[in-house]
Amino acid sequence: MVAARAGVSRATVSRVVNGSPKVTPDVAAAVQQAIEALNYVPNRAARSLVSRKTQAIALIVPESAARLFADPFFASVVQGVALHLADTDYTLNMIIESESQAGKTRRFLLGGNVDGALVVSHHTGDHSYAELSRSLPVVFGGRPLSPLEHGNYFVDVDNTAGAQTAVEYLIASGRRHLATIAGPQDMPPGVDRLSGWYETLAAHGLDAGLVEVGDFSPASGAAAMRRLLDRGVPIDGVFAANDQMAIGAYTAIREAGLSIPQDVAVVGFDDDNYGLNASPPLTTVHQPSVEMGREMAHVLVRLIEGEPTELITRLQTSLVVRDSA
Amino acid sequence: MVAARAGVSRATVSRVVNGSPKVTPDVAAAVQQAIEALNYVPNRAARSLVSRKTQAIALIVPESAARLFADPFFASVVQGVALHLADTDYTLNMIIESESQAGKTRRFLLGGNVDGALVVSHHTGDHSYAELSRSLPVVFGGRPLSPLEHGNYFVDVDNTAGAQTAVEYLIASGRRHLATIAGPQDMPPGVDRLSGWYETLAAHGLDAGLVEVGDFSPASGAAAMRRLLDRGVPIDGVFAANDQMAIGAYTAIREAGLSIPQDVAVVGFDDDNYGLNASPPLTTVHQPSVEMGREMAHVLVRLIEGEPTELITRLQTSLVVRDSA
DNA sequence: CTGAAAGCGCTAACAG
DNA sequence: CTGTTAGCGCTTTCAG
């Protein structure tokens, strides 16, 4: 090791590099200087080999959902993770899990290539990696569908509270004939947002019967809205479980000759580009996706380093008021 | 090494794992079996330490541009990269380069943590990593602004040809009074798309004077369109250098009491959600961003493995005809 | 074709 | 506080 030209042994250099407290300041300084001078960078492989730590964490993104493209949610989460990790000594290994590569990912993770893993399952709540956490620190993004998967760390958005905020807003602005376009009931966000709806209407003693389910796509939102309108009862406000469906609802509302927000106010959920670029711009519940990535990384790092950590972290949403309600 | 329970030495196991040709089939089979049985996974650190290869590649995303969120382009490129790498033995280290972390990234790259790097500079053409390629295989996404940065590998979208396709389509559909909203002239895509415009109009002997520049944002597109309309000359078709500006143009066109596509046809460039969700849905030039990521990874891997590779790879675009033209 | 031996660069006891 | 001494798990000459 060239840096031993600081007149000390390799062991001391190692101590300095790792910030050991028991090194005479003078010596430490000399070593530091030699390091700068020689532009020395410790070899990660050698270090990992002995310390059994890789200083790397994996981010697993299921390919099926890797609509990474159509879905800004993933992109933001990834961004948040990378942002947090940039402040640490960890490296981000992004891996897209495809059906075809089945065991590859598992072997990679179990092979000791990373110190921990992050898995974002988005809406599906599919936690096929659940058992993984028995052999490796793992943090999930989004709550599991079944509350049974216990003992796993996860960070989630408080979908129920978010939905409540949305519906409360509709009520506060004078709307009384409310309807909702719910998301798939086999996805956590779908069910949580719907329960937020029920809870709020119940709290206000309003009729909560106008419910139609969609699949989170714009087309399904339009269809659901048509069904709602076809019921023949007056509707002056609708809460869609995501922005894409809200945009679909726009179409159906206009087909019926109604205007937004005069005749019917609509509020969505997610705060994505669909709502932002719609006209009128959509009032929606902001989903803190970048924050979610950041928090997932944060929790995982604490976990890896053995610091006390909450099993579940729930992020708060906020209402973004624009022109549709 | 436990797998030596196959009755052979560690050296032989190593040979089998690395597919060495000089191992008796029988022995190889026995070893394979032991590997399966013991669920053995080679330790990457140890392997890297001796082979001086990490089997990892870095993907550098400038934070400034890491609008990863607002910009589906990045997300798609990342996806493409990950997708390609999933078929190889390389791991993807995604790192967001922030101003504040200045030297960190460079040290990481030069510290031998990866076998090569991918840098996506998106629109800016800012290649501050250019010199990096002298010490490490590097592939850039998007061509450099100055043709001087020679000898660097990069893959780019054929923006000029894409613009030509768009304008040709406008002309083929009978439009003769064309205008364009160009992108910033200090970004490669901005200038390339504009030259595609000039070339096409020249080829048809049409007036190419109706040009206004925007900054790729919807607002700038609206402003540019207003200036175009204010010139007082008839316009029946406009080519916007990206979808966001095209959507901005929609606004200005409607303010003028004109309809799309009857009075004025508009075609954009990028094929992002802005155009997809507009009404009418935007006819646009599809930018093969996932392909771009895939190709970048492909080129880099070839480079790392010493296979002959083209210095520049140019990807073709395709026209997506929807309802705006 | 296969085994033995050496060493990649670093950290971690263990002495001094 | 600092130097010495062993390896971490793997690949790779070099013999056999």
Side-chain angles (χ1 to χ4, degrees):
Chain A
M1 189 192 303
V2 248
R5 82 148 190 189
V8 299
S9 73
R10 306 151 26 124
T12 300
V13 173
S14 176
R15 283 191 258 266
V16 173
V17 170
N18 296 297
S20 165
K22 34 195 191 158
V23 174
T24 309
D26 297 349
V27 184
V31 175
Q32 272 301 358
Q33 220 163 337
I35 288 180
E36 310 275 324
L38 278 54
N39 215 302
Y40 166 74
V41 180
N43 178 304
R44 191 179 281 250
R47 196 197 290 234
S48 294
L49 185 55
V50 43
S51 66
R52 346 278 359 284
K53 289 186 163 309
T54 60
Q55 292 295 102
I57 75 140
L59 203 205
I60 318 287
V61 182
E63 178 180 25
S64 52
R67 329 239 291 262
L68 206 58
F69 177 46
D71 198 338
F73 174 78
F74 273 118
S76 307
V77 172
V78 173
Q79 183 183 193
V81 170
L83 247 26
H84 178 81
L85 256 26
D87 293 332
T88 71
D89 276 324
Y90 289 87
T91 262
L92 206 212
N93 284 59
M94 201 181 93
I95 101 183
I96 288 194
E97 162 70 323
S98 58
E99 320 286 315
S100 56
Q101 304 286 136
K104 191 180 171 190
T105 304
R106 298 181 48 76
R107 260 181 299 123
F108 178 79
L109 297 177
L110 269 13
N113 290 301
V114 292
D115 294 339
L118 253 21
V119 5
V120 288
S121 42
H122 192 30
H123 285 156
T124 85
D126 161 32
H127 283 178
S128 49
Y129 289 95
E131 25 74 51
L132 234 174
S133 55
R134 256 180 275 126
S135 2
L136 191 76
V138 180
V139 172
F140 294 89
R143 80 163 175 84
L145 226 208
S146 101
L148 294 181
E149 287 174 27
H150 208 239
N152 282 339
Y153 287 81
F154 64 87
V155 357
D156 196 9
V157 165
D158 195 335
N159 287 298
T160 306
Q164 286 172 188
T165 309
V167 181
E168 284 290 359
Y169 180 76
L170 245 14
I171 295 174
S173 45
R175 310 290 174 160
R176 287 296 175 279
H177 306 291
L178 273 26
T180 191
I181 298 176
Q185 295 303 296
D186 55 352
M187 297 188 189
V191 344
D192 293 351
R193 292 172 191 180
L194 182 55
S195 47
W197 149 271
Y198 281 124
E199 287 168 22
T200 312
L201 290 220
H204 287 266
L206 293 175
D207 172 32
L210 288 174
V211 178
E212 282 293 344
V213 177
D215 64 8
F216 280 146
S217 72
S220 76
M225 191 67 221
R226 282 187 202 104
R227 291 197 299 273
L228 249 11
L229 258 11
D230 284 350
R231 295 199 188 186
V233 301
I235 293 179
D236 62 3
V238 16
F239 164 55
N242 80 337
D243 289 0
Q244 298 195 37
M245 293 197 296
I247 295 320
Y250 271 29
T251 309
I253 291 171
R254 288 188 172 126
E255 283 171 1
L258 270 16
S259 70
I260 305 167
Q262 293 75 22
D263 298 323
V264 12
V266 5
V267 4
F269 202 120
D270 275 359
D271 189 18
D272 63 26
N273 280 327
Y274 284 82
L276 181 60
N277 299 120
S279 60
L282 186 69
T283 288
T284 188
V285 177
H286 176 72
Q287 164 135 257
S289 34
V290 174
E291 251 321 306
M292 178 157 169
R294 215 188 278 273
E295 201 54 42
M296 287 175 68
H298 185 207
V299 171
L300 182 59
V301 170
R302 291 180 62 84
L303 212 55
I304 291 173
E305 306 191 334
E307 289 166 47
T309 312
E310 293 295 327
L311 212 45
I312 125 172
T313 305
R314 217 180 291 280
L315 269 22
Q316 290 313 304
T317 56
S318 54
L319 187 71
V320 178
V321 177
R322 287 202 277 252
D323 309 329
S324 69
Chain B
M1 188 192 304
V2 249
R5 82 148 189 190
V8 300
S9 73
R10 306 151 24 121
T12 300
V13 173
S14 176
R15 284 190 257 267
V16 174
V17 169
N18 296 296
S20 165
K22 33 194 192 160
V23 174
T24 309
D26 298 349
V27 184
V31 174
Q32 273 301 359
Q33 219 162 337
I35 288 180
E36 309 276 323
L38 278 54
N39 215 302
Y40 166 75
V41 180
N43 178 305
R44 193 179 279 250
R47 195 197 288 234
S48 294
L49 186 55
V50 42
S51 66
R52 294 26 268 313
K53 290 189 163 309
T54 61
Q55 292 296 100
I57 75 140
L59 203 205
I60 317 287
V61 182
E63 178 180 25
S64 51
R67 327 240 292 264
L68 206 57
F69 178 47
D71 198 338
F73 174 77
F74 273 117
S76 308
V77 172
V78 172
Q79 183 184 195
V81 170
L83 247 25
H84 178 81
L85 256 26
D87 293 331
T88 72
D89 276 324
Y90 289 87
T91 262
L92 206 210
N93 283 58
M94 201 181 93
I95 101 184
I96 288 196
E97 162 70 324
S98 60
E99 320 287 315
S100 56
Q101 305 285 136
K104 191 180 172 189
T105 304
R106 298 181 49 74
R107 260 182 297 122
F108 178 79
L109 297 177
L110 268 13
N113 290 301
V114 292
D115 294 338
L118 253 22
V119 5
V120 287
S121 44
H122 191 31
H123 285 337
T124 86
D126 161 32
H127 284 178
S128 50
Y129 288 95
E131 24 74 53
L132 235 174
S133 55
R134 256 179 276 127
S135 1
L136 191 76
V138 180
V139 172
F140 294 90
R143 80 162 175 86
L145 225 208
S146 101
L148 294 181
E149 287 174 28
H150 208 239
N152 281 339
Y153 287 80
F154 64 87
V155 358
D156 196 9
V157 165
D158 195 335
N159 287 297
T160 306
Q164 287 172 187
T165 308
V167 181
E168 283 290 358
Y169 179 76
L170 245 15
I171 295 175
S173 45
R175 311 288 173 161
R176 286 298 177 277
H177 305 290
L178 273 25
T180 190
I181 300 178
Q185 295 303 296
D186 56 353
M187 296 186 188
V191 346
D192 293 350
R193 292 172 192 180
L194 181 56
S195 46
W197 150 269
Y198 281 123
E199 287 168 21
T200 312
L201 291 220
H204 287 266
L206 293 175
D207 173 31
L210 288 174
V211 177
E212 283 292 345
V213 177
D215 65 8
F216 279 146
S217 72
S220 76
M225 192 67 221
R226 283 187 202 104
R227 291 197 299 274
L228 249 12
L229 258 11
D230 283 352
R231 295 198 186 185
V233 300
I235 294 180
D236 62 3
V238 16
F239 163 56
N242 80 337
D243 289 0
Q244 298 195 34
M245 294 199 294
I247 296 319
Y250 271 30
T251 309
I253 291 171
R254 287 185 173 128
E255 283 170 2
L258 269 17
S259 69
I260 304 167
Q262 294 73 22
D263 298 323
V264 12
V266 5
V267 3
F269 202 122
D270 275 358
D271 189 18
D272 63 27
N273 280 326
Y274 285 83
L276 182 59
N277 298 120
S279 60
L282 186 69
T283 287
T284 188
V285 177
H286 176 72
Q287 164 136 255
S289 33
V290 174
E291 249 322 304
M292 179 157 166
R294 213 188 278 272
E295 201 53 41
M296 286 175 68
H298 185 208
V299 171
L300 182 59
V301 170
R302 291 181 63 82
L303 213 54
I304 291 174
E305 306 191 333
E307 289 166 46
T309 312
E310 292 296 326
L311 213 43
I312 124 170
T313 305
R314 216 180 291 281
L315 269 22
Q316 290 312 305
T317 57
S318 55
L319 188 70
V320 179
V321 177
R322 288 201 276 253
D323 309 329
S324 69

